[in-house]
Amino acid sequence: SKGVLLIVVVGLALLSFIIGDFLTQGSTLFNQSKQTVADINGEKIKITEYQEMIDQIVIVQKIESGVSEVDEQTMQQIRSYVWENMVNEKLLTAEAEKMGLTVTADELSDQLIGNNVHPMIQQRRIFFDESGRFNKSNLINFLNQIKEEPAEGVDNQQFKDLQKYWLFWEKNIKFAIL
């Protein structure tokens, strides 16, 4: 008589364990809400997008400052900068779309490598010559290096970091123009 009761109790315990696991980890519907860090103008910001931006800024910081590690105070500043930047980008993009504003490929190219190189690019030490001044040929050489496959013996991660570095500036120039 107590065996049936024992089977029911054990069955309910197993069922509640399975349902609990499903609700906390297994369901993509519930898991997606955990992945969203913000909703800006109806556009969801995923934690992976936020973290990718942080990683990109860390790479930029390392290249710009010449350090191999970023301290905690700098990381806090980076997180704050990324958050403000993401909010501003989403709002600016939405407003620009409403007004029909865009940055053409020609406009962007002119500001990146053309006759009117943007001051943000001209201020990057990575493009300076021996005299400490911006050198357009250094910029062109840099772009040629990151567009090709890395040469034998070149650190693949360093190659990817340099590509992310350029993409960061390209994106910032585009939003500056916009």
Side-chain angles (χ1 to χ4, degrees), residues 4 16 30 41 49 111 151 157 174:
V4 172
S16 66
F30 292 107
N41 271 357
E49 181 182 354
Q111 293 281 304
Q157 186 59 46
K174 182 178 179 181

Side-chain angles (χ1 to χ4, degrees), residues 24 60 84 88 91 108-109 146 151 154 171 177:
T24 58
V60 170
E84 290 174 21
N88 290 336
L91 295 174
L108 185 58
S109 178
I146 65 169
V154 172
K171 183 179 177 183
I177 297 169

Side-chain angles (χ1 to χ4, degrees), residues 9-22:
V9 169
V10 170
L12 286 174
L14 284 172
L15 184 62
S16 66
F17 176 74
I18 291 169
I19 290 174
D21 186 51
F22 174 76

Side-chain angles (χ1 to χ4, degrees), residues 1-161:
S1 70
K2 302 215 188 231
V4 172
L5 179 62
L6 183 62
I7 290 173
V8 169
V9 169
V10 170
L12 286 174
L14 284 172
L15 184 62
S16 66
F17 176 74
I18 291 169
I19 290 174
D21 186 51
F22 174 76
L23 291 176
T24 58
Q25 295 178 3
S27 171
T28 56
L29 178 64
F30 292 107
N31 206 17
Q32 282 181 356
S33 66
K34 290 181 187 178
Q35 296 295 317
T36 302
V37 277
D39 189 334
I40 302 170
N41 271 357
E43 189 174 341
K44 295 186 183 322
I45 305 294
K46 302 227 180 284
I47 196 164
T48 53
E49 181 182 354
Y50 175 69
Q51 187 59 49
E52 285 172 8
M53 275 298 294
I54 289 173
D55 294 343
Q56 188 178 38
I57 302 295
V58 167
I59 289 168
V60 170
Q61 178 68 24
K62 287 178 180 180
I63 290 172
E64 292 281 313
S65 65
V67 298
S68 60
E69 290 300 319
V70 177
D71 61 33
E72 187 55 38
Q73 181 180 2
T74 305
M75 280 303 295
Q76 288 295 345
Q77 292 171 345
I78 288 172
R79 287 184 194 105
S80 177
Y81 168 80
V82 166
W83 179 251
E84 290 174 21
N85 199 34
M86 289 182 89
V87 170
N88 290 336
E89 280 182 20
K90 299 298 179 190
L91 295 174
L92 177 64
T93 302
E95 289 301 313
E97 285 178 10
K98 285 180 190 175
M99 292 189 280
L101 294 176
T102 60
V103 177
T104 66
D106 289 340
E107 288 174 310
L108 185 58
S109 178
D110 185 48
Q111 293 281 304
L112 293 173
I113 58 172
N115 294 328
N116 301 307
V117 176
H118 198 279
M120 279 195 273
I121 298 294
Q122 291 181 13
Q123 295 168 357
R124 307 287 54 94
R125 283 187 279 160
I126 197 168
F127 307 127
F128 286 1
D129 59 18
E130 298 80 29
S131 66
R133 297 174 61 199
F134 174 74
N135 186 324
K136 191 172 177 180
S137 64
N138 287 354
L139 171 62
I140 302 299
N141 290 338
F142 174 84
L143 292 174
N144 288 334
Q145 285 178 339
I146 65 169
K147 291 191 192 275
E148 299 172 4
E149 289 297 314
E152 194 74 26
V154 172
D155 182 13
N156 201 27
Q157 186 59 46
Q158 183 181 14
F159 178 77
K160 288 180 182 178
D161 288 351

